Amino acid sequence: MIRNILLIYTGGTIGMIKNNNTLSPFNFDKLHSAFPELKDCGSSLSHITISKPIDSSNMNIDQWIELANSINKNYNQYDGFVILHGSDTMAYTASMLSFMLENISKPVILTGSQLPIGIKRTDAKENLITSIEIAASNIIKEVCVYFEYKLYRGNRVVKINADNFDAFQSPNYPILAQAGVKIKYKKQYLSPQSSATFNVHTKISNDVAILKIFPSIKKEVVIAILNSATGIILETFGSGNATTEGWFILELEKGIKKGKIIINISQCLSGSVNQGHYQTSKSLEKSGVLSGHDMTTEAALTKLMFLLANKSNNISVREKIEINLRGEMTI
Ligand code: ASP
């Protein structure tokens, strides 16, 4: 059965050309002609481009809303969606879309490349062709990232390498599929088909900040970041530990009393926050800091941006942070 796949081009290295030795995005139609294999990939392909293709370092809330709206508008006409995206912020977009697209029952596969499509050794062709095959397979029902022979849950990935083709990792959740001679899906790890109605949320708040602690961090720095936003990701050491200095805990407590939402996320690439395991995290727990368990910073930040914009009150945000909403954390 021929499946209808919509490619959504947002920019990124995959579609860039060199101008005076600098890479900048070009028009998607050129990508199509540079890559004639697309015509012969077994699916019926259509494509759209977001209003202004970008290097994904320029990704922002408006483009996330545009992407979610495009998927919503085309949801019934297509069997799957492939989003061509720069790898730099792909983990943020994949996480954000997983929250915006509630009860999705079709594949949304984000992919990109480390080398532009016109370059001989490009990784773009494999990434794109296999993403299309996955989007057409009728197996995946969630937002994913496909890169360098691996399919990942979108809200579990982090970009870990700026040079290698193998640029992503899912440190706290198994890969969903491995592409070799065949694409082997790991069915036990896939999100199940949702029977609830597909619902697109297009409200996002950027009233958030990240406070990455380090030994000897200054009080002024902590206060400035705490005062800058309602939702704060507190990036801590190891399993969620931080200094026990009185002023530090007091500032966190003051912030939480004022209604701030502070989420404890580990600076370690893998593993989980376990508040209370060490004395150095017990005081965070007591002051009202929430555990982000094994969420990536990207997932925790976008979850906060989503929940703050869709809240009835701060208590409901606090409750939902520690609930697994879209497979983004293991409890
Ligand atoms: N700077 C590029 C971007 O994120 C890198 C890439 O596409 O891999 O758009």
Side-chain angles (χ1 to χ4, degrees):
M1 181 184 163
I2 301 273
R3 300 204 158 255
N4 294 324
I5 306 299
L6 182 63
L7 305 182
I8 307 178
Y9 176 61
T10 70
T13 299
I14 194 161
M16 286 189 182
I17 40 163
K18 246 188 191 168
N19 249 337
N20 301 330
N21 254 350
T22 308
L23 288 171
S24 52
F26 72 91
N27 177 308
F28 185 84
D29 295 326
K30 291 194 185 164
L31 178 75
H32 222 67
S33 55
F35 193 9
E37 293 93 328
L38 280 182
K39 289 198 189 79
D40 198 23
C41 69
S43 295
S44 161
L45 298 181
S46 310
H47 70 263
I48 54 173
T49 302
I50 61 165
S51 40
K52 187 175 172 280
I54 47 162
D55 182 304
S56 78
S57 309
N58 282 318
M59 187 49 69
N60 64 35
I61 287 178
D62 293 338
Q63 275 117 12
W64 284 336
I65 294 172
E66 189 178 347
L67 276 175
N69 279 335
S70 299
I71 291 171
N72 195 17
K73 206 170 104 200
N74 291 290
Y75 195 70
N76 294 329
Q77 293 95 283
Y78 291 92
D79 301 298
F81 302 85
V82 174
I83 300 179
L84 290 94
H85 194 291
S87 61
D88 287 348
T89 59
M90 193 182 285
Y92 290 91
T93 300
S95 296
M96 192 73 238
L97 287 177
S98 77
F99 296 113
M100 296 174 88
L101 307 175
E102 188 180 12
N103 304 322
I104 188 148
S105 60
K106 295 186 179 185
V108 173
I109 315 295
L110 286 96
T111 195
S113 65
Q114 294 281 60
L115 281 177
I117 210 140
I119 293 194
K120 272 203 188 95
R121 291 181 51 251
T122 187
D123 50 332
K125 290 191 182 188
E126 198 287 318
N127 285 347
L128 183 51
I129 288 287
T130 306
S131 294
I132 293 169
E133 199 172 323
I134 291 169
S137 68
N138 198 25
I139 294 174
I140 299 295
K141 319 278 176 194
E142 58 184 298
V143 178
C144 296
V145 165
Y146 179 78
F147 226 87
E148 190 64 4
Y149 305 108
K150 290 183 213 86
L151 182 72
Y152 306 96
R153 173 162 297 159
N155 53 31
R156 292 290 195 152
V157 290
V158 277
K159 184 174 179 183
I160 46 104
N161 201 306
D163 298 328
N164 289 357
F165 288 151
D166 209 356
F168 287 90
Q169 233 180 58
S170 170
N172 288 325
Y173 196 75
I175 58 165
L176 303 184
Q178 177 82 47
V181 175
K182 285 186 178 161
I183 301 174
K184 287 197 181 137
Y185 292 93
K186 309 199 184 275
K187 298 224 164 119
Q188 67 275 34
Y189 300 122
L190 308 183
S191 282
Q193 165 96 42
S194 172
S195 53
T197 316
F198 177 53
N199 189 15
V200 178
H201 301 271
T202 52
K203 280 202 238 144
I204 306 171
S205 164
N206 66 351
D207 189 11
V208 290
I210 299 178
L211 171 52
K212 180 170 182 162
I213 58 161
F214 52 87
S216 263
I217 189 167
K218 287 199 295 184
K219 187 173 173 183
E220 298 90 294
V221 172
V222 171
I223 293 176
I225 298 178
L226 286 176
N227 282 340
S228 70
T230 303
I232 316 279
I233 304 298
L234 178 67
E235 279 201 359
T236 56
F237 310 123
S239 57
N241 309 312
T243 172
T244 47
E245 283 208 51
W247 66 264
F248 180 72
I249 303 297
L250 200 74
E251 290 307 326
L252 296 180
E253 266 171 11
K254 273 203 268 179
I256 292 164
K257 274 197 194 114
K258 279 192 230 155
K260 300 207 183 274
I261 298 179
I262 306 180
I263 310 179
N264 189 348
I265 297 290
S266 175
Q267 289 177 18
C268 294
L269 180 61
S270 55
S272 183
V273 161
N274 183 0
Q275 292 199 136
H277 185 56
Y278 288 96
Q279 195 221 335
T280 42
S281 63
K282 188 89 200 153
S283 32
L284 296 181
E285 190 179 39
K286 274 202 202 139
S287 66
V289 171
L290 300 168
S291 172
H293 299 273
D294 64 348
M295 274 190 286
T296 61
T297 293
E298 291 86 337
L301 188 83
T302 51
K303 186 175 186 177
L304 202 45
M305 293 172 95
F306 165 71
L307 290 176
L308 284 173
N310 293 282
K311 65 180 175 184
S312 43
N313 53 50
N314 280 2
I315 297 171
S316 74
V317 178
R318 289 185 68 82
E319 278 165 4
K320 285 186 184 147
I321 286 294
E322 292 197 282
I323 294 173
N324 174 28
L325 299 178
R326 308 277 195 270
E328 74 282 5
M329 73 184 184
T330 322
I331 301 206

